[in-house]
Amino acid sequence: MAIKIVCLPGDGIGPEVTQSTIAVLKAVGEKFRIEFDIAEYPIGGIAIEQSGTPLPDQTLAACKEADAVFLGAIGGPQWENPEASVRPEQGLLKLRSELGVFSNIRPLKVFPSLISSSPLKPERLAGVDFVVVRELTGGIYFGERTRQDDYATDECRYSVGEVERIARVACEMAMQRNKRVTSVDKANVLETSRLWREVVTRVVKNEFPEINLEHQLVDSCAMKLIQQPAHFDVILTENMFGDILSDEASVLSGSMGLLASASIGDGVGLFEPIHGSAPDIAGLGIANPYASILSAAMMLRWLNLELAAKAVEDAVLDAIDNGTLTRDLTISNSMREASTKEATQAVLEAI
Ligand code: NAD
Ligand code: IPM
Ligand code: MN
């Protein structure tokens, strides 16, 4: 039976990178005789243009019925008017919430052949391999908002249950890795962080006694990510801290255009590169498609298609090792810049 996949290209470079990803899925499907039924639906700015809403009912319904969903990116300057009440980002947040994908897994690896693409010294990058486990459907992103002429508020709220379930995800992941969890909060200031710390400590003590847990404040964690990145194994954190720290962490690998993610809950999974719609390069055909393709590999693994997932990851690695690099990864003018199409072609050939 065909595997039903919903693709949400979105805005900016979203359609460019999802087009590459669909080509890769088709190729890997042929190789392993897996039938994918891929349907595209609008989300974000383009959906606002078409129907006045960033997450049309048909899009949401299709996502809920799919086996898996993958997203390009949403947003852009056209929809950034501060007065606007309808925004592309609301579509993505509502989708995450409706699908109940409370854990966002963002793995960070340093590809050996890309060490020179990173601004960090090579010796700091040795042994860097960690995962950010970001809580995705709670916190300040989903609290009540108010706006008056002279002030505004955003409520940050976490329940014990929300912290417990994401702590378990991080711990289960750590058990498959090096059994180290760094829980990141701002417990010296925030009440939600004090609750977070208490709950994480209890979950580890009662359910994962083998895990070596440390707590770290988010500000010094931001520093340590650059100073001593090899220290980390699993970073467990709340929604907004995870958003910020993972973009920071992407610099270690050389580009945001390499970082994939999986957003998982109890139902259908959503797979999304961590980057946005990159309005500064949209339409130029130079976006890095590897983050989106690697997100599809995470999707294949989640669908229990391990061989296909591995084939896609190996193909991206091959393309990188062959030096097929988009502009975000070429560090000197003497390096040849590949287009999105050429990078995709290199992956297809490796498959
Ligand atoms: P961004 O991630 O879009 O871009 C940041 C920088 O990284 C830009 O210079 C961009 O050119 C570069 N970049 C990002 N992805 C790249 C890729 N694949 N290849 C090459 N270069 C890449 O972040 P931003 O500029 O802060 O946000 C732009 C828009 O994207 C905003 O509207 C924001 O809300 C939205 N956004 C959406 C998502 C999402 O859909 N998941 C994620 C982040 C931001
Ligand atoms: C991300 C993005 C989103 C987030 C925005 C677009 C809502 O930055 O996926 O990392 O903050 O979660
Ligand atoms: Mn982000």
Side-chain angles (χ1 to χ4, degrees), residues 13 17 71-77 80 89 92 96 243 247 255-258 272-281 286-289 291 326 328:
I13 63 166
V17 299
L71 169 93
I74 50 82
E80 266 166 22
E89 290 78 4
L92 177 56
R96 289 171 177 167
D243 179 44
D247 273 26
S255 170
M256 187 125 94
L258 290 173
E272 34 179 338
I274 83 155
H275 64 71
S277 58
D280 53 338
I281 59 163
I286 58 166
N288 187 340
T326 43
D328 50 310

PDB file of all heavy atoms in Angstrom, residues 13 17 71-77 80 89 92 96 243 247 255-258 272-281 286-289 291 326 328, ligand 1:
ATOM      1  N   ILE A  13      12.183  29.977   0.060  1.00  0.00           N
ATOM      2  CA  ILE A  13      12.910  28.808  -0.464  1.00  0.00           C
ATOM      3  C   ILE A  13      12.179  27.500  -0.165  1.00  0.00           C
ATOM      4  O   ILE A  13      12.623  26.437  -0.604  1.00  0.00           O
ATOM      5  CB  ILE A  13      14.356  28.721   0.084  1.00  0.00           C
ATOM      6  CG1 ILE A  13      14.366  28.523   1.608  1.00  0.00           C
ATOM      7  CG2 ILE A  13      15.179  29.933  -0.329  1.00  0.00           C
ATOM      8  CD1 ILE A  13      15.735  28.104   2.164  1.00  0.00           C
ATOM      9  N   VAL A  17      13.293  23.846  -1.821  1.00  0.00           N
ATOM     10  CA  VAL A  17      13.900  22.698  -1.127  1.00  0.00           C
ATOM     11  C   VAL A  17      12.959  21.497  -1.068  1.00  0.00           C
ATOM     12  O   VAL A  17      13.416  20.354  -1.086  1.00  0.00           O
ATOM     13  CB  VAL A  17      14.443  23.066   0.284  1.00  0.00           C
ATOM     14  CG1 VAL A  17      15.531  24.120   0.186  1.00  0.00           C
ATOM     15  CG2 VAL A  17      13.347  23.507   1.245  1.00  0.00           C
ATOM     16  N   LEU A  71       7.442  19.679   5.653  1.00  0.00           N
ATOM     17  CA  LEU A  71       7.242  21.106   5.437  1.00  0.00           C
ATOM     18  C   LEU A  71       8.527  21.736   4.902  1.00  0.00           C
ATOM     19  O   LEU A  71       9.624  21.355   5.312  1.00  0.00           O
ATOM     20  CB  LEU A  71       6.891  21.729   6.795  1.00  0.00           C
ATOM     21  CG  LEU A  71       6.886  23.245   6.855  1.00  0.00           C
ATOM     22  CD1 LEU A  71       5.491  23.783   6.593  1.00  0.00           C
ATOM     23  CD2 LEU A  71       7.375  23.754   8.195  1.00  0.00           C
ATOM     24  N   GLY A  72       8.366  22.725   4.005  1.00  0.00           N
ATOM     25  CA  GLY A  72       9.522  23.497   3.544  1.00  0.00           C
ATOM     26  C   GLY A  72       9.810  24.601   4.540  1.00  0.00           C
ATOM     27  O   GLY A  72      10.551  24.425   5.501  1.00  0.00           O
ATOM     28  N   ALA A  73       9.186  25.747   4.341  1.00  0.00           N
ATOM     29  CA  ALA A  73       9.327  26.868   5.284  1.00  0.00           C
ATOM     30  C   ALA A  73       8.203  27.846   5.002  1.00  0.00           C
ATOM     31  O   ALA A  73       7.655  27.865   3.900  1.00  0.00           O
ATOM     32  CB  ALA A  73      10.676  27.556   5.089  1.00  0.00           C
ATOM     33  N   ILE A  74       7.883  28.655   5.999  1.00  0.00           N
ATOM     34  CA  ILE A  74       6.834  29.660   5.800  1.00  0.00           C
ATOM     35  C   ILE A  74       7.361  31.039   6.205  1.00  0.00           C
ATOM     36  O   ILE A  74       8.367  31.156   6.909  1.00  0.00           O
ATOM     37  CB  ILE A  74       5.560  29.322   6.616  1.00  0.00           C
ATOM     38  CG1 ILE A  74       5.885  29.014   8.081  1.00  0.00           C
ATOM     39  CG2 ILE A  74       4.823  28.151   6.023  1.00  0.00           C
ATOM     40  CD1 ILE A  74       6.060  30.157   8.962  1.00  0.00           C
ATOM     41  N   GLY A  75       6.675  32.069   5.737  1.00  0.00           N
ATOM     42  CA  GLY A  75       6.990  33.428   6.178  1.00  0.00           C
ATOM     43  C   GLY A  75       7.727  34.241   5.130  1.00  0.00           C
ATOM     44  O   GLY A  75       8.187  33.720   4.120  1.00  0.00           O
ATOM     45  N   GLY A  76       7.824  35.539   5.406  1.00  0.00           N
ATOM     46  CA  GLY A  76       8.528  36.423   4.483  1.00  0.00           C
ATOM     47  C   GLY A  76       8.118  37.851   4.738  1.00  0.00           C
ATOM     48  O   GLY A  76       7.130  38.114   5.432  1.00  0.00           O
ATOM     49  N   PRO A  77       8.901  38.800   4.178  1.00  0.00           N
ATOM     50  CA  PRO A  77       8.663  40.215   4.461  1.00  0.00           C
ATOM     51  C   PRO A  77       7.282  40.708   4.017  1.00  0.00           C
ATOM     52  O   PRO A  77       6.735  41.641   4.608  1.00  0.00           O
ATOM     53  CB  PRO A  77       9.780  40.926   3.682  1.00  0.00           C
ATOM     54  CG  PRO A  77      10.380  39.915   2.774  1.00  0.00           C
ATOM     55  CD  PRO A  77      10.053  38.566   3.309  1.00  0.00           C
ATOM     56  N   GLU A  80       4.975  40.641   7.018  1.00  0.00           N
ATOM     57  CA  GLU A  80       5.540  41.040   8.313  1.00  0.00           C
ATOM     58  C   GLU A  80       4.983  42.336   8.889  1.00  0.00           C
ATOM     59  O   GLU A  80       5.452  42.809   9.920  1.00  0.00           O
ATOM     60  CB  GLU A  80       7.066  41.134   8.215  1.00  0.00           C
ATOM     61  CG  GLU A  80       7.728  39.832   8.645  1.00  0.00           C
ATOM     62  CD  GLU A  80       9.188  39.751   8.248  1.00  0.00           C
ATOM     63  OE1 GLU A  80       9.815  40.804   8.025  1.00  0.00           O
ATOM     64  OE2 GLU A  80       9.699  38.615   8.145  1.00  0.00           O
ATOM     65  N   GLU A  89       3.294  32.469  10.256  1.00  0.00           N
ATOM     66  CA  GLU A  89       3.799  31.682  11.391  1.00  0.00           C
ATOM     67  C   GLU A  89       2.660  31.045  12.193  1.00  0.00           C
ATOM     68  O   GLU A  89       2.816  29.957  12.748  1.00  0.00           O
ATOM     69  CB  GLU A  89       4.664  32.558  12.302  1.00  0.00           C
ATOM     70  CG  GLU A  89       6.012  32.983  11.702  1.00  0.00           C
ATOM     71  CD  GLU A  89       5.922  34.123  10.690  1.00  0.00           C
ATOM     72  OE1 GLU A  89       4.810  34.679  10.475  1.00  0.00           O
ATOM     73  OE2 GLU A  89       6.960  34.480  10.079  1.00  0.00           O
ATOM     74  N   LEU A  92       1.890  27.534  10.975  1.00  0.00           N
ATOM     75  CA  LEU A  92       2.806  26.472  11.428  1.00  0.00           C
ATOM     76  C   LEU A  92       2.565  26.143  12.899  1.00  0.00           C
ATOM     77  O   LEU A  92       2.530  24.969  13.291  1.00  0.00           O
ATOM     78  CB  LEU A  92       4.254  26.919  11.196  1.00  0.00           C
ATOM     79  CG  LEU A  92       5.339  25.971  11.685  1.00  0.00           C
ATOM     80  CD1 LEU A  92       5.176  24.580  11.076  1.00  0.00           C
ATOM     81  CD2 LEU A  92       6.730  26.514  11.349  1.00  0.00           C
ATOM     82  N   ARG A  96       1.427  22.476  14.350  1.00  0.00           N
ATOM     83  CA  ARG A  96       2.143  21.718  15.384  1.00  0.00           C
ATOM     84  C   ARG A  96       1.202  21.374  16.535  1.00  0.00           C
ATOM     85  O   ARG A  96       1.204  20.258  17.057  1.00  0.00           O
ATOM     86  CB  ARG A  96       3.332  22.533  15.904  1.00  0.00           C
ATOM     87  CG  ARG A  96       4.470  22.663  14.893  1.00  0.00           C
ATOM     88  CD  ARG A  96       5.511  23.652  15.396  1.00  0.00           C
ATOM     89  NE  ARG A  96       6.654  23.770  14.495  1.00  0.00           N
ATOM     90  CZ  ARG A  96       7.562  24.741  14.581  1.00  0.00           C
ATOM     91  NH1 ARG A  96       7.459  25.672  15.523  1.00  0.00           N
ATOM     92  NH2 ARG A  96       8.577  24.775  13.740  1.00  0.00           N
ATOM     93  N   ASP A 243      14.500  26.922  20.213  1.00  0.00           N
ATOM     94  CA  ASP A 243      14.498  27.605  18.914  1.00  0.00           C
ATOM     95  C   ASP A 243      15.808  28.367  18.740  1.00  0.00           C
ATOM     96  O   ASP A 243      16.505  28.239  17.726  1.00  0.00           O
ATOM     97  CB  ASP A 243      13.305  28.567  18.858  1.00  0.00           C
ATOM     98  CG  ASP A 243      13.238  29.334  17.551  1.00  0.00           C
ATOM     99  OD1 ASP A 243      13.430  28.704  16.502  1.00  0.00           O
ATOM    100  OD2 ASP A 243      13.003  30.559  17.592  1.00  0.00           O
ATOM    101  N   ASP A 247      19.450  27.277  16.312  1.00  0.00           N
ATOM    102  CA  ASP A 247      20.017  28.104  15.230  1.00  0.00           C
ATOM    103  C   ASP A 247      21.481  28.419  15.544  1.00  0.00           C
ATOM    104  O   ASP A 247      22.347  28.410  14.657  1.00  0.00           O
ATOM    105  CB  ASP A 247      19.256  29.435  15.074  1.00  0.00           C
ATOM    106  CG  ASP A 247      18.043  29.321  14.143  1.00  0.00           C
ATOM    107  OD1 ASP A 247      17.486  28.209  14.017  1.00  0.00           O
ATOM    108  OD2 ASP A 247      17.654  30.343  13.551  1.00  0.00           O
ATOM    109  N   SER A 255      26.371  25.529   8.393  1.00  0.00           N
ATOM    110  CA  SER A 255      25.219  26.257   7.852  1.00  0.00           C
ATOM    111  C   SER A 255      23.910  25.743   8.429  1.00  0.00           C
ATOM    112  O   SER A 255      23.739  24.558   8.674  1.00  0.00           O
ATOM    113  CB  SER A 255      25.150  26.107   6.331  1.00  0.00           C
ATOM    114  OG  SER A 255      23.932  26.615   5.843  1.00  0.00           O
ATOM    115  N   MET A 256      22.992  26.678   8.563  1.00  0.00           N
ATOM    116  CA  MET A 256      21.630  26.327   8.938  1.00  0.00           C
ATOM    117  C   MET A 256      21.002  25.432   7.874  1.00  0.00           C
ATOM    118  O   MET A 256      20.082  24.672   8.158  1.00  0.00           O
ATOM    119  CB  MET A 256      20.854  27.635   9.017  1.00  0.00           C
ATOM    120  CG  MET A 256      19.507  27.465   9.530  1.00  0.00           C
ATOM    121  SD  MET A 256      19.302  28.532  10.888  1.00  0.00           S
ATOM    122  CE  MET A 256      18.599  29.922  10.052  1.00  0.00           C
ATOM    123  N   GLY A 257      21.504  25.540   6.669  1.00  0.00           N
ATOM    124  CA  GLY A 257      20.974  24.752   5.556  1.00  0.00           C
ATOM    125  C   GLY A 257      21.310  23.271   5.653  1.00  0.00           C
ATOM    126  O   GLY A 257      21.058  22.508   4.719  1.00  0.00           O
ATOM    127  N   LEU A 258      21.872  22.839   6.777  1.00  0.00           N
ATOM    128  CA  LEU A 258      22.184  21.417   6.977  1.00  0.00           C
ATOM    129  C   LEU A 258      21.330  20.790   8.065  1.00  0.00           C
ATOM    130  O   LEU A 258      21.323  19.570   8.220  1.00  0.00           O
ATOM    131  CB  LEU A 258      23.657  21.255   7.388  1.00  0.00           C
ATOM    132  CG  LEU A 258      24.715  21.547   6.337  1.00  0.00           C
ATOM    133  CD1 LEU A 258      26.097  21.503   6.969  1.00  0.00           C
ATOM    134  CD2 LEU A 258      24.621  20.549   5.191  1.00  0.00           C
ATOM    135  N   GLU A 272      10.642  18.844   9.301  1.00  0.00           N
ATOM    136  CA  GLU A 272      10.883  20.215   8.852  1.00  0.00           C
ATOM    137  C   GLU A 272      12.343  20.600   9.074  1.00  0.00           C
ATOM    138  O   GLU A 272      12.891  20.355  10.136  1.00  0.00           O
ATOM    139  CB  GLU A 272       9.969  21.192   9.600  1.00  0.00           C
ATOM    140  CG  GLU A 272       9.659  20.802  11.053  1.00  0.00           C
ATOM    141  CD  GLU A 272       8.762  21.804  11.805  1.00  0.00           C
ATOM    142  OE1 GLU A 272       8.704  22.977  11.409  1.00  0.00           O
ATOM    143  OE2 GLU A 272       8.159  21.400  12.811  1.00  0.00           O
ATOM    144  N   PRO A 273      12.964  21.191   8.042  1.00  0.00           N
ATOM    145  CA  PRO A 273      14.305  21.735   8.295  1.00  0.00           C
ATOM    146  C   PRO A 273      14.194  22.826   9.353  1.00  0.00           C
ATOM    147  O   PRO A 273      13.117  23.399   9.516  1.00  0.00           O
ATOM    148  CB  PRO A 273      14.715  22.329   6.941  1.00  0.00           C
ATOM    149  CG  PRO A 273      13.439  22.536   6.179  1.00  0.00           C
ATOM    150  CD  PRO A 273      12.480  21.495   6.687  1.00  0.00           C
ATOM    151  N   ILE A 274      15.282  23.124  10.067  1.00  0.00           N
ATOM    152  CA  ILE A 274      15.149  24.141  11.123  1.00  0.00           C
ATOM    153  C   ILE A 274      15.146  25.558  10.550  1.00  0.00           C
ATOM    154  O   ILE A 274      14.740  26.492  11.212  1.00  0.00           O
ATOM    155  CB  ILE A 274      16.231  24.012  12.229  1.00  0.00           C
ATOM    156  CG1 ILE A 274      17.538  24.691  11.843  1.00  0.00           C
ATOM    157  CG2 ILE A 274      16.464  22.577  12.655  1.00  0.00           C
ATOM    158  CD1 ILE A 274      18.354  25.105  13.070  1.00  0.00           C
ATOM    159  N   HIS A 275      15.598  25.686   9.295  1.00  0.00           N
ATOM    160  CA  HIS A 275      15.704  27.042   8.739  1.00  0.00           C
ATOM    161  C   HIS A 275      14.350  27.592   8.302  1.00  0.00           C
ATOM    162  O   HIS A 275      13.360  26.862   8.222  1.00  0.00           O
ATOM    163  CB  HIS A 275      16.691  27.068   7.571  1.00  0.00           C
ATOM    164  CG  HIS A 275      16.275  26.233   6.385  1.00  0.00           C
ATOM    165  ND1 HIS A 275      15.232  26.566   5.559  1.00  0.00           N
ATOM    166  CD2 HIS A 275      16.788  25.071   5.882  1.00  0.00           C
ATOM    167  CE1 HIS A 275      15.124  25.664   4.595  1.00  0.00           C
ATOM    168  NE2 HIS A 275      16.043  24.736   4.772  1.00  0.00           N
ATOM    169  N   GLY A 276      14.348  28.883   7.987  1.00  0.00           N
ATOM    170  CA  GLY A 276      13.140  29.536   7.532  1.00  0.00           C
ATOM    171  C   GLY A 276      13.099  29.688   6.024  1.00  0.00           C
ATOM    172  O   GLY A 276      13.767  28.940   5.293  1.00  0.00           O
ATOM    173  N   SER A 277      12.320  30.672   5.572  1.00  0.00           N
ATOM    174  CA  SER A 277      12.052  30.823   4.141  1.00  0.00           C
ATOM    175  C   SER A 277      13.162  31.593   3.422  1.00  0.00           C
ATOM    176  O   SER A 277      13.091  31.782   2.218  1.00  0.00           O
ATOM    177  CB  SER A 277      10.715  31.528   3.954  1.00  0.00           C
ATOM    178  OG  SER A 277      10.761  32.794   4.605  1.00  0.00           O
ATOM    179  N   ALA A 278      14.171  32.037   4.161  1.00  0.00           N
ATOM    180  CA  ALA A 278      15.357  32.705   3.596  1.00  0.00           C
ATOM    181  C   ALA A 278      15.007  33.692   2.491  1.00  0.00           C
ATOM    182  O   ALA A 278      15.446  33.530   1.344  1.00  0.00           O
ATOM    183  CB  ALA A 278      16.367  31.656   3.101  1.00  0.00           C
ATOM    184  N   PRO A 279      14.242  34.733   2.804  1.00  0.00           N
ATOM    185  CA  PRO A 279      13.798  35.674   1.760  1.00  0.00           C
ATOM    186  C   PRO A 279      14.966  36.303   1.004  1.00  0.00           C
ATOM    187  O   PRO A 279      14.829  36.635  -0.181  1.00  0.00           O
ATOM    188  CB  PRO A 279      13.048  36.758   2.544  1.00  0.00           C
ATOM    189  CG  PRO A 279      12.778  36.202   3.892  1.00  0.00           C
ATOM    190  CD  PRO A 279      13.747  35.102   4.149  1.00  0.00           C
ATOM    191  N   ASP A 280      16.128  36.414   1.665  1.00  0.00           N
ATOM    192  CA  ASP A 280      17.277  37.052   0.995  1.00  0.00           C
ATOM    193  C   ASP A 280      17.797  36.251  -0.193  1.00  0.00           C
ATOM    194  O   ASP A 280      18.460  36.808  -1.060  1.00  0.00           O
ATOM    195  CB  ASP A 280      18.407  37.326   2.018  1.00  0.00           C
ATOM    196  CG  ASP A 280      18.814  36.102   2.831  1.00  0.00           C
ATOM    197  OD1 ASP A 280      17.997  35.144   2.945  1.00  0.00           O
ATOM    198  OD2 ASP A 280      19.939  36.070   3.350  1.00  0.00           O
ATOM    199  N   ILE A 281      17.519  34.957  -0.249  1.00  0.00           N
ATOM    200  CA  ILE A 281      18.005  34.158  -1.390  1.00  0.00           C
ATOM    201  C   ILE A 281      16.877  33.454  -2.141  1.00  0.00           C
ATOM    202  O   ILE A 281      17.139  32.695  -3.083  1.00  0.00           O
ATOM    203  CB  ILE A 281      19.058  33.108  -0.945  1.00  0.00           C
ATOM    204  CG1 ILE A 281      18.466  32.152   0.100  1.00  0.00           C
ATOM    205  CG2 ILE A 281      20.326  33.781  -0.425  1.00  0.00           C
ATOM    206  CD1 ILE A 281      19.305  30.874   0.249  1.00  0.00           C
ATOM    207  N   ILE A 286      19.631  28.958  -5.271  1.00  0.00           N
ATOM    208  CA  ILE A 286      20.899  28.643  -4.596  1.00  0.00           C
ATOM    209  C   ILE A 286      20.701  28.132  -3.170  1.00  0.00           C
ATOM    210  O   ILE A 286      21.667  27.948  -2.428  1.00  0.00           O
ATOM    211  CB  ILE A 286      21.843  29.870  -4.552  1.00  0.00           C
ATOM    212  CG1 ILE A 286      21.156  31.048  -3.838  1.00  0.00           C
ATOM    213  CG2 ILE A 286      22.270  30.268  -5.963  1.00  0.00           C
ATOM    214  CD1 ILE A 286      22.120  32.168  -3.456  1.00  0.00           C
ATOM    215  N   ALA A 287      19.446  27.890  -2.782  1.00  0.00           N
ATOM    216  CA  ALA A 287      19.199  27.414  -1.408  1.00  0.00           C
ATOM    217  C   ALA A 287      19.809  26.026  -1.223  1.00  0.00           C
ATOM    218  O   ALA A 287      19.841  25.207  -2.147  1.00  0.00           O
ATOM    219  CB  ALA A 287      17.699  27.343  -1.154  1.00  0.00           C
ATOM    220  N   ASN A 288      20.267  25.787  -0.031  1.00  0.00           N
ATOM    221  CA  ASN A 288      20.820  24.474   0.311  1.00  0.00           C
ATOM    222  C   ASN A 288      19.657  23.503   0.578  1.00  0.00           C
ATOM    223  O   ASN A 288      18.894  23.711   1.519  1.00  0.00           O
ATOM    224  CB  ASN A 288      21.688  24.617   1.568  1.00  0.00           C
ATOM    225  CG  ASN A 288      22.432  23.343   1.903  1.00  0.00           C
ATOM    226  OD1 ASN A 288      22.054  22.259   1.460  1.00  0.00           O
ATOM    227  ND2 ASN A 288      23.484  23.465   2.690  1.00  0.00           N
ATOM    228  N   PRO A 289      19.536  22.452  -0.215  1.00  0.00           N
ATOM    229  CA  PRO A 289      18.397  21.541  -0.015  1.00  0.00           C
ATOM    230  C   PRO A 289      18.684  20.425   0.986  1.00  0.00           C
ATOM    231  O   PRO A 289      17.804  19.632   1.300  1.00  0.00           O
ATOM    232  CB  PRO A 289      18.220  20.933  -1.419  1.00  0.00           C
ATOM    233  CG  PRO A 289      19.620  20.879  -1.975  1.00  0.00           C
ATOM    234  CD  PRO A 289      20.359  22.070  -1.389  1.00  0.00           C
ATOM    235  N   ALA A 291      19.205  20.235   4.268  1.00  0.00           N
ATOM    236  CA  ALA A 291      18.439  20.170   5.527  1.00  0.00           C
ATOM    237  C   ALA A 291      17.062  19.558   5.287  1.00  0.00           C
ATOM    238  O   ALA A 291      16.575  18.749   6.087  1.00  0.00           O
ATOM    239  CB  ALA A 291      18.296  21.565   6.135  1.00  0.00           C
ATOM    240  N   THR A 326      26.383  24.325  -1.784  1.00  0.00           N
ATOM    241  CA  THR A 326      25.720  25.583  -2.128  1.00  0.00           C
ATOM    242  C   THR A 326      26.450  26.749  -1.453  1.00  0.00           C
ATOM    243  O   THR A 326      27.300  26.541  -0.584  1.00  0.00           O
ATOM    244  CB  THR A 326      24.238  25.539  -1.711  1.00  0.00           C
ATOM    245  OG1 THR A 326      24.159  24.963  -0.412  1.00  0.00           O
ATOM    246  CG2 THR A 326      23.417  24.734  -2.690  1.00  0.00           C
ATOM    247  N   ASP A 328      26.027  28.875   0.855  1.00  0.00           N
ATOM    248  CA  ASP A 328      26.117  29.000   2.313  1.00  0.00           C
ATOM    249  C   ASP A 328      27.292  28.207   2.889  1.00  0.00           C
ATOM    250  O   ASP A 328      27.711  28.461   4.026  1.00  0.00           O
ATOM    251  CB  ASP A 328      24.800  28.539   2.966  1.00  0.00           C
ATOM    252  CG  ASP A 328      24.341  27.177   2.463  1.00  0.00           C
ATOM    253  OD1 ASP A 328      24.295  26.988   1.234  1.00  0.00           O
ATOM    254  OD2 ASP A 328      24.056  26.308   3.286  1.00  0.00           O
TER     255      ASP A 328
HETATM  256  P1  NAD B   1      15.988  32.057   7.874  1.00  0.00           P
HETATM  257  O1  NAD B   1      16.251  30.729   8.461  1.00  0.00           O
HETATM  258  O2  NAD B   1      14.948  32.106   6.818  1.00  0.00           O
HETATM  259  O3  NAD B   1      17.346  32.661   7.260  1.00  0.00           O
HETATM  260  C1  NAD B   1      18.472  33.005   8.059  1.00  0.00           C
HETATM  261  C2  NAD B   1      19.722  33.078   7.175  1.00  0.00           C
HETATM  262  O4  NAD B   1      20.120  31.755   6.817  1.00  0.00           O
HETATM  263  C3  NAD B   1      19.493  33.823   5.861  1.00  0.00           C
HETATM  264  O5  NAD B   1      20.646  34.529   5.520  1.00  0.00           O
HETATM  265  C4  NAD B   1      19.261  32.701   4.868  1.00  0.00           C
HETATM  266  O6  NAD B   1      19.620  33.026   3.546  1.00  0.00           O
HETATM  267  C5  NAD B   1      20.125  31.582   5.431  1.00  0.00           C
HETATM  268  N1  NAD B   1      19.548  30.273   5.110  1.00  0.00           N
HETATM  269  C6  NAD B   1      18.516  29.672   5.759  1.00  0.00           C
HETATM  270  N2  NAD B   1      18.236  28.506   5.183  1.00  0.00           N
HETATM  271  C7  NAD B   1      19.096  28.347   4.157  1.00  0.00           C
HETATM  272  C8  NAD B   1      19.293  27.327   3.188  1.00  0.00           C
HETATM  273  N3  NAD B   1      18.547  26.214   3.161  1.00  0.00           N
HETATM  274  N4  NAD B   1      20.278  27.505   2.285  1.00  0.00           N
HETATM  275  C9  NAD B   1      21.044  28.599   2.305  1.00  0.00           C
HETATM  276  N5  NAD B   1      20.919  29.596   3.198  1.00  0.00           N
HETATM  277  C10 NAD B   1      19.945  29.466   4.118  1.00  0.00           C
HETATM  278  O7  NAD B   1      15.609  33.042   9.077  1.00  0.00           O
HETATM  279  P2  NAD B   1      15.028  34.553   9.070  1.00  0.00           P
HETATM  280  O8  NAD B   1      15.643  35.295   7.938  1.00  0.00           O
HETATM  281  O9  NAD B   1      15.160  35.012  10.426  1.00  0.00           O
HETATM  282  O10 NAD B   1      13.474  34.359   8.776  1.00  0.00           O
HETATM  283  C11 NAD B   1      12.891  34.530   7.487  1.00  0.00           C
HETATM  284  C12 NAD B   1      11.427  34.083   7.527  1.00  0.00           C
HETATM  285  O11 NAD B   1      11.367  32.674   7.757  1.00  0.00           O
HETATM  286  C13 NAD B   1      10.613  34.726   8.659  1.00  0.00           C
HETATM  287  O12 NAD B   1       9.358  35.036   8.111  1.00  0.00           O
HETATM  288  C14 NAD B   1      10.478  33.630   9.686  1.00  0.00           C
HETATM  289  O13 NAD B   1       9.294  33.719  10.455  1.00  0.00           O
HETATM  290  C15 NAD B   1      10.446  32.403   8.828  1.00  0.00           C
HETATM  291  N6  NAD B   1      10.892  31.161   9.491  1.00  0.00           N
HETATM  292  C16 NAD B   1      10.186  30.038   9.193  1.00  0.00           C
HETATM  293  C17 NAD B   1      10.590  28.820   9.701  1.00  0.00           C
HETATM  294  C18 NAD B   1       9.822  27.594   9.324  1.00  0.00           C
HETATM  295  O14 NAD B   1       9.023  27.642   8.406  1.00  0.00           O
HETATM  296  N7  NAD B   1      10.024  26.477   9.980  1.00  0.00           N
HETATM  297  C19 NAD B   1      11.745  28.731  10.482  1.00  0.00           C
HETATM  298  C20 NAD B   1      12.451  29.906  10.762  1.00  0.00           C
HETATM  299  C21 NAD B   1      12.027  31.116  10.245  1.00  0.00           C
END
